[in-house]
Amino acid sequence: PLIQGKERDPAVLVLDPGGHWVIPLLGGHNGGAEQRARELAAELQGSAVLTGACASEGRLALDAFGEAWGWRRSGSIESWRHLMQHQASDVKVTVHQSQGLCTWQTLHSRIEPVAAATPPDLWIGSEQRKGCSWHPASLWLGVGCERGTSLNLVERAIREALEEAGLALEAVAGLASIDRKADEAALQVLTETRQWPFRTYDAASLQDVSVPSPSDVVLREMGTASVAEASALLAAGRGGKLRLAKRIVHARAKEPDRDEKGA
């Protein structure tokens, strides 16, 4: 009764008493069982017995390979099933990649990089696309909020901002703010739930960052003219660019959560 499908199965492996053979039974791709089998076999000086089609035929597991670099996946189960069937038909899979490590493409002869103008079989980048996508962790969210802002409002603000910019939630690398918000309950819960890093910076560091939307009101209150934009740029590091200008989101008249303040 615990077996619920390839998308949700955990990694289940079997080892013989001597540790000579490591066999993944469930969760070979999505659960990471095949990779764990390789690691255990190497540690035990045994052999991994991989019976999946990709492993036995020497094909790249398109539905799992990005996890090794911390990429996240999006797309329907049906879309990924169709992609894997297409790959198994021994034809080249077209890929458009705008972010993340790309040297892997040169190691697989059945992968064909294409321009975005030609809809590929697989997208790799931060944009939200239809079909199958891998998203490298490349987006840092800069958030400033009033004390006591609810989790519901913060989540809605992030969701609406990403939708407006056409960006995928799966591409978020982490959240950044001013150090005075390090103990903000909503931000702490959000980053813990999403398993996002939470970086904070002091006002002096934020004030040194050039931003398109400085605010005198924020400067008087926080000691820096920018929190959201400046913290996002600092977290993104050298070469980072704003994908969306600062926006202010207010609580709705009737929210499903408790009363909210602006974020």
Side-chain angles (χ1 to χ4, degrees):
L2 299 180
I3 301 175
Q4 301 180 22
K6 293 177 65 175
E7 295 296 313
R8 302 183 64 183
D9 287 344
V12 177
L13 303 95
V14 170
L15 286 78
D16 70 289
H20 302 300
W21 309 102
V22 187
I23 309 171
L25 298 183
L26 287 178
H29 289 183
N30 298 327
E34 288 190 355
Q35 180 59 29
R36 288 184 178 273
R38 294 187 183 97
E39 294 169 356
L40 281 172
E43 185 71 20
L44 300 173
Q45 297 183 344
S47 298
V49 181
L50 307 181
T51 60
C54 288
S56 60
E57 298 174 11
R59 291 188 280 110
L60 177 68
L62 292 175
D63 60 345
F65 80 100
E67 294 177 356
W69 299 309
W71 298 357
R72 299 186 186 94
R73 212 179 71 174
S74 68
S76 67
I77 296 175
E78 184 61 32
S79 295
W80 282 99
R81 182 181 297 114
H82 177 75
L83 176 63
M84 299 303 288
Q85 291 171 345
H86 178 63
Q87 182 191 25
S89 64
D90 203 27
V91 298
K92 286 192 174 183
V93 174
T94 57
V95 177
H96 176 73
Q97 182 171 359
S98 58
Q99 293 175 325
L101 181 70
C102 59
T103 52
W104 66 273
Q105 296 180 11
T106 63
L107 305 177
H108 299 276
S109 59
R110 297 179 185 177
I111 301 297
E112 181 181 357
V114 295
T118 303
D121 300 313
L122 177 64
W123 298 92
I124 302 177
S126 59
E127 293 76 15
Q128 184 66 59
R129 304 284 191 176
K130 292 183 179 180
C132 301
S133 297
W134 278 107
H135 305 285
S138 57
L139 302 176
W140 278 91
L141 303 174
V143 177
C145 63
E146 294 182 358
R147 181 62 67 181
T149 296
S150 77
L151 175 62
N152 185 66
L153 177 55
V154 175
E155 289 181 323
R156 177 166 64 85
I158 291 172
R159 182 177 65 252
E160 292 177 352
L162 292 175
E163 288 176 354
E164 179 182 328
L167 299 171
L169 182 66
E170 293 83 358
V172 172
L175 188 147
S177 189
I178 194 168
D179 55 4
R180 288 170 59 180
K181 296 300 175 183
D183 62 346
E184 190 68 46
L187 303 186
Q188 288 183 332
V189 172
L190 176 61
T191 51
E192 181 177 353
T193 302
R194 291 285 183 179
Q195 296 185 323
W196 289 341
F198 183 18
R199 295 181 181 175
T200 60
Y201 304 93
D202 58 37
S205 299
L206 295 174
Q207 182 63 11
D208 288 339
V209 180
S210 178
V211 298
S213 307
S215 167
D216 291 336
V217 175
V218 175
L219 177 61
R220 289 193 297 269
E221 178 69 21
M222 307 298 289
T224 172
S226 173
V227 171
E229 291 178 330
S231 61
L233 287 170
L234 280 179
R238 186 184 301 274
K241 298 179 181 180
L242 289 176
R243 298 293 299 270
L244 187 68
K246 179 182 70 175
R247 53 184 290 154
I248 298 175
V249 180
H250 296 286
R252 291 169 176 163
K254 292 183 179 180
E255 291 280 358
D257 204 345
R258 60 185 170 82
D259 292 341
E260 300 172 343
K261 300 178 180 180

